[in-house]
């Protein structure tokens, strides 16, 4: 009865969360099942459903080909790039990435095995990821499955990054924030000090994967009410390896 209930729940989830994939090829029945099953499990836990990501699908496909050709499972084979590099090469941009792999005769058994394994279950039910790409290949009666997850980071111009931070500053305090300020952009690229002739009362350089929340120290400075204007600059992030991030500098003036 319990397995019947689970099967019914997954069928209902497939109806509620159909696979909407802008892919070069339609997803297979096994891939659709694993996608619906993952989102059914997440929905039961009150977690947001995962979005299908074509870049992650391409990354998963490349690794699934490796597994099927070797008739084994692994997260990395000799001479193969590791997960984050494979995802970047496939066009993904992310702040978090994870992977499940499996080998079994059916997609149902693959999902059940992942849910019984604490590390794989943790990936499926992580609140730190929001997208997935799944590829399943068949060989000699076995299915080789790769499920790649990430927290997608939006790729936007430096100008748009600066505008978003400026809006966030102005919505948080009675301050006039100037985006794309030359002195702030130059300061962003500096490891210390500041650019420009005016002396800022406070300088905040930070790296983030989201522009929706500012650092606590910056929030505290704004809440003090001592600053009336700000300059905002963005620059290319460095030292993040394969992960995507935003580099921001905020100069506060009294």
């Amino acid at each position: 009865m319990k397995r019947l209930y689970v099967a019914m729940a997954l069928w209902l989830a497939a109806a509620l969360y159909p696979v909407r994939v802008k892919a070069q090829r339609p997803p297979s029945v096994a891939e659709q099942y694993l996608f619906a099953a993952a989102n059914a499990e997440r929905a039961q836990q009150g977690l947001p459903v995962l979005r299908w990501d074509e870049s992650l699908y391409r990354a998963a496909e490349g690794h699934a080909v490796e597994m099927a050709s070797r008739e084994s499972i692994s997260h990395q084979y000799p001479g193969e790039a590791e997960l984050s590099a494979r995802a970047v090469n496939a066009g993904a941009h992310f702040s978090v990435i994870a992977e499940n792999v499996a080998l079994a005769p059916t997609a149902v058994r693959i999902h059940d095995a992942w849910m019984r394994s604490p590390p794989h279950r943790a990936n499926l039910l992580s609140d730190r990821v929001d997208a997935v790409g799944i590829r399943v290949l068949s060989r000699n009666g076995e299915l080789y499955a790769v499920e790649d997850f990430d927290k997608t980071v939006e790729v936007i111009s430096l100008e748009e990054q600066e505008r978003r931070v400026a809006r966030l500053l102005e919505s948080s305090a009675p301050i006039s924030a100037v985006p794309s300020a030359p002195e702030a952009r130059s300061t962003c690229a500096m490891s210390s000090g500041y650019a420009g002739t005016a002396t800022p009362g406070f300088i905040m350089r930070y790296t983030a994967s989201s522009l929706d929340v500012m650092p606590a120290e910056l929030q505290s400075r704004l809440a003090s009410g001592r600053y009336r204007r700000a300059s905002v600059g963005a620059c290319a992030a460095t030292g993040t390896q394969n992960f995507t991030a935003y580099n921001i500098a905020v100069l506060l003036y009294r």
Side-chain angles (χ1 to χ4, degrees):
M1 180 64 68
K2 181 178 179 182
R3 292 190 63 83
L4 176 61
Y5 168 78
V6 172
M8 290 176 64
L10 292 178
W11 181 85
L12 288 172
L16 291 171
Y17 310 110
V19 181
R20 297 183 178 89
V21 184
K22 294 180 180 179
Q24 294 180 354
R25 51 167 290 280
S28 67
V29 172
E31 290 158 3
Q32 290 185 59
Y33 174 83
L34 292 174
F35 182 58
N39 278 333
E41 303 286 2
R42 293 176 67 87
Q44 289 178 4
Q45 298 298 320
L47 294 167
V49 297
L50 298 169
R51 171 183 55 81
W52 182 279
D53 186 277
E54 180 66 11
S55 297
L56 291 178
Y57 166 80
R58 290 193 296 269
E61 180 174 46
H63 190 57
V65 169
E66 287 287 338
M67 294 199 313
S69 66
R70 298 168 186 266
E71 297 188 273
S72 64
I73 60 172
S74 173
H75 287 290
Q76 184 179 13
Y77 292 101
E80 183 188 28
E82 52 86 28
L83 172 60
S84 67
R86 295 199 308 266
V88 167
N89 291 339
H93 298 271
F94 49 86
S95 60
V96 175
I97 192 160
E99 181 175 75
N100 287 346
V101 298
L103 164 64
T106 69
V108 173
R109 289 181 61 176
I110 288 171
H111 179 72
D112 287 349
W114 280 339
M115 290 303 294
R116 288 196 303 270
S117 165
H120 298 89
R121 178 186 177 91
N123 287 340
L124 278 159
L125 300 181
S126 173
D127 60 0
R128 300 179 63 218
V129 299
D130 59 12
V132 68
I134 305 167
R135 187 67 171 109
V136 180
L137 294 179
S138 176
R139 181 170 184 178
N140 297 330
E142 296 285 354
L143 298 181
Y144 297 81
V146 180
E147 198 171 49
D148 285 347
F149 309 85
D150 81 5
K151 175 69 173 178
T152 303
V153 176
E154 186 180 6
V155 178
I156 54 178
S157 66
L158 296 180
E159 291 80 8
E160 179 59 22
Q161 294 175 39
E162 293 157 345
R163 284 192 291 269
R164 292 190 187 185
V165 174
R167 289 195 295 268
L168 182 61
L169 293 174
E170 292 183 337
S171 68
S172 303
I175 193 170
S176 175
V178 179
S180 304
E183 68 276 9
R185 276 200 173 182
S186 296
T187 299
C188 182
M190 298 165 60
S191 58
S192 62
Y194 63 90
T197 57
T199 302
F202 178 72
I203 302 170
M204 169 62 74
R205 295 181 184 85
Y206 65 96
T207 300
S209 59
S210 171
L211 299 176
D212 296 332
V213 180
M214 67 184 77
E217 176 64 14
L218 182 54
Q219 293 181 41
S220 176
R221 293 283 180 161
L222 289 172
S224 71
R226 290 179 293 181
Y227 305 99
R228 294 291 176 264
R229 63 186 183 92
S231 294
V232 180
C235 56
T238 59
T240 57
Q241 297 181 332
N242 292 318
F243 295 84
T244 299
Y246 309 116
N247 266 5
I248 304 295
V250 176
L251 283 60
L252 299 180
Y253 302 91
R254 291 185 172 89

